[in-house]
Amino acid sequence: MKISGYAAIAPKTLLSPYSFERHEPQDHDIVIDVHYCGICHSDIHQINDEWGGNSKFPMVPGHEITGKVASVGSKVTRFKKGDNVGVGCMVDSCRKCDSCNKGLEQYCTGGGPILTYNDEQTIQGVKIPTQGGYSNRIVVNQDFVLRIPSNIPLDKAAPLLCAGITLYSPLIRWNATHGKRVAIIGLGGLGHMGVKIAHALGAEVTVLSHTLKKQNDGMKMGADRFIATSDLSVLNSLEGYFDLIINTVSSNLDLNRYLRLLALDGVMVLVGIPENDDRIGAANLINSRRSLAGSAIGGIAETQEMLNFCSKNEITSDIETIKIDYVNEAYKRVLKSDVKYRFVIDIFNSFKHKQVG
Ligand code: NAP
Ligand code: ZN
Ligand code: ZN
């Protein structure tokens, strides 16, 4: 199947138009006309090969995909042509290991989940690269396709597929609810979803942002307090305060400073993945029996649960919609924290003349 997309041909290069083939749909596959795709900071890390040299090129990024079912394979039971659907960071997993059996496909130990792009998939014995949603069509097994609830528009739904689930999962796992004091570090794509979801779960929410520039927006999203982390006296006055801190920042911070803000038995969860490792002082964990944890996206069932939660609570992403030819400029702006609060590419209209059927 001939596909039109945008790819980086080599590390740290600009994205440019790229045509490629996707595998022919199998019995359990769904062909999706991509309408929208969010720009996640992970796209930028991987294009720049910042995660230990594991990037594969040419790379078509994009794992916040929404669109409409164009056709279904002969054994597909869960979807039909025209349905509003989404695809997140995974397109398959081993389906046999303990993690997969528990619905935690993102922690698959049978070779790891197959990522939507920058990975390989075996179709009828042939290994092929996976390519993401900066492209007009994608072919995905029905078990890794999500249903987008009817009250969430496809553009504002796209960022839920990565940013939304990446914050929902740890907020649920560490019980962010009434009476809990939650801090979100970084009000970007992930962070703004975290504020909205934590607020809807009933937690008291504080944003720790590097300036006060986003304060009004953060309060409108449901934050109870907004702190500029550059003001160390205010930050230090919150020592021992929080039950849960989620760090969404894409670059290195002095985590020790933030660990000290945790109360007894408090937990800091890392979801941001900076290029370099951090240094942790043991005393900051030992005092107040604090924990440091990490969390990756969420399983498929949990992602559907998150979409249904967002539908019920009328939560969507705050987006700036762009055409694909603006993507390189958009990347520069993400790196400057200059986006409110997720760029979403209007894929359908960017490749309109190339749509078929
Ligand atoms: P983003 O939209 O760029 O947001 C990151 C935020 O971090 C910025 O808005 C900014 O917030 C803050 N920030 C950036 N640079 C900073 C600096 N030098 N010092 C202090 N604060 C800074 O990125 P995103 O798409 O939300 O992704 C965030 C990170 O999560 C990335 O590393 C990404 O790869 C990772 N990620 C992980 C998972 C997972 O499963 N664990 C899933 C998706 C993404 P303020 O302006 O408010 O300070
Ligand atoms: Zn992502
Ligand atoms: Zn598995």
Side-chain angles (χ1 to χ4, degrees):
M1 184 182 291
K2 199 104 189 121
I3 304 291
S4 303
Y6 258 55
I9 301 302
K12 301 187 201 303
T13 55
L14 295 179
L15 275 72
S16 53
Y18 176 67
S19 296
F20 62 104
E21 292 280 337
R22 289 200 189 275
H23 65 271
E24 286 307 313
Q26 310 291 297
D27 290 349
H28 294 94
D29 283 346
I30 295 186
V31 181
I32 300 167
D33 277 335
V34 180
H35 282 226
Y36 295 99
C37 188
I39 295 180
C40 177
H41 206 118
S42 300
D43 301 346
I44 303 174
H45 288 304
Q46 289 176 91
I47 289 293
N48 291 333
D49 200 10
E50 288 172 355
W51 289 344
N54 74 352
S55 290
K56 300 171 180 64
F57 296 90
M59 184 192 297
V60 179
H63 59 208
E64 293 187 336
I65 301 165
T66 57
K68 286 187 180 283
V69 174
S71 63
V72 299
S74 62
K75 294 198 176 136
V76 167
T77 50
R78 298 181 43 234
F79 297 96
K80 59 177 192 324
K81 188 173 172 178
D83 284 353
N84 283 359
V85 291
V87 177
C89 300
M90 306 178 282
V91 289
D92 212 339
S93 68
C94 87
R95 301 170 183 238
K96 292 192 284 253
C97 71
D98 284 352
S99 300
C100 286
N101 285 332
K102 288 183 190 149
L104 297 168
E105 301 89 354
Q106 75 276 32
Y107 304 118
C108 173
T109 53
I114 296 173
L115 301 175
T116 304
Y117 69 88
N118 194 21
D119 207 346
E120 278 182 339
Q121 192 171 24
T122 304
I123 303 289
Q124 295 191 327
V126 181
K127 274 196 174 170
I128 50 169
T130 59
Q131 299 289 16
Y134 298 8
S135 64
N136 64 341
R137 280 192 160 181
I138 189 163
V139 181
V140 183
N141 185 290
Q142 65 169 343
D143 296 337
F144 282 74
V145 175
L146 287 309
R147 190 172 293 285
I148 306 297
S150 59
N151 66 336
I152 309 184
L154 287 179
D155 52 353
K156 295 187 163 87
L160 302 181
L161 276 307
C162 175
I165 184 59
T166 301
L167 270 290
Y168 180 83
S169 187
L171 287 168
I172 296 293
R173 169 100 174 85
W174 282 281
N175 200 21
T177 183
H178 297 273
K180 290 289 175 75
R181 295 161 166 181
V182 175
I184 307 285
I185 315 179
L187 193 69
L190 267 58
H192 93 290
M193 292 313 311
V195 172
K196 291 182 183 206
I197 293 169
H199 174 69
L201 289 167
E204 180 198 290
V205 187
T206 299
V207 177
L208 303 177
S209 184
H210 67 290
T211 66
L212 287 179
K213 270 195 281 186
K214 302 172 181 172
Q215 182 167 22
N216 287 343
D217 294 341
M219 299 305 278
K220 278 192 215 138
M221 290 169 197
D224 299 284
R225 188 191 284 109
F226 199 102
I227 303 286
T229 54
S230 50
D231 188 340
L232 288 186
S233 61
V234 180
L235 198 63
N236 293 339
S237 71
L238 291 167
E239 197 165 316
Y241 187 78
F242 296 106
D243 301 301
L244 176 65
I245 299 177
I246 303 188
N247 178 19
T248 75
V249 175
S250 46
S251 39
N252 296 88
L253 295 181
D254 179 4
L255 293 183
N256 295 294
R257 176 165 285 150
Y258 295 90
L259 282 171
R260 292 195 285 269
L261 306 186
L262 287 172
L264 176 67
D265 288 330
V267 181
M268 181 190 281
V269 183
L270 307 181
V271 295
I273 315 172
E275 182 173 7
N276 301 311
D277 290 342
D278 296 302
R279 287 172 69 95
I280 304 291
N284 295 316
L285 292 170
I286 290 165
N287 295 337
S288 297
R289 200 166 56 186
R290 297 163 176 138
S291 302
L292 180 62
S295 186
I297 46 171
I300 294 297
E302 193 179 38
T303 305
Q304 190 63 60
E305 180 188 302
M306 175 275 308
L307 288 166
N308 298 346
F309 175 88
C310 289
S311 162
K312 190 164 156 238
N313 291 282
E314 297 182 345
I315 293 174
T316 58
S317 176
D318 291 8
I319 61 167
E320 290 189 43
T321 307
I322 59 165
K323 292 277 184 62
I324 189 83
D325 56 8
Y326 187 74
V327 68
N328 295 303
E329 195 57 38
Y331 276 18
K332 282 192 216 151
R333 285 183 50 197
V334 171
L335 290 170
K336 289 189 280 185
S337 300
D338 174 24
V339 48
K340 294 190 166 188
Y341 277 83
R342 197 57 136 187
F343 283 116
V344 170
I345 308 168
D346 180 348
I347 297 285
F348 188 84
N349 287 308
S350 296
F351 293 105
K352 205 169 184 176
H353 56 292
K354 307 231 163 85
Q355 299 281 339
V356 277

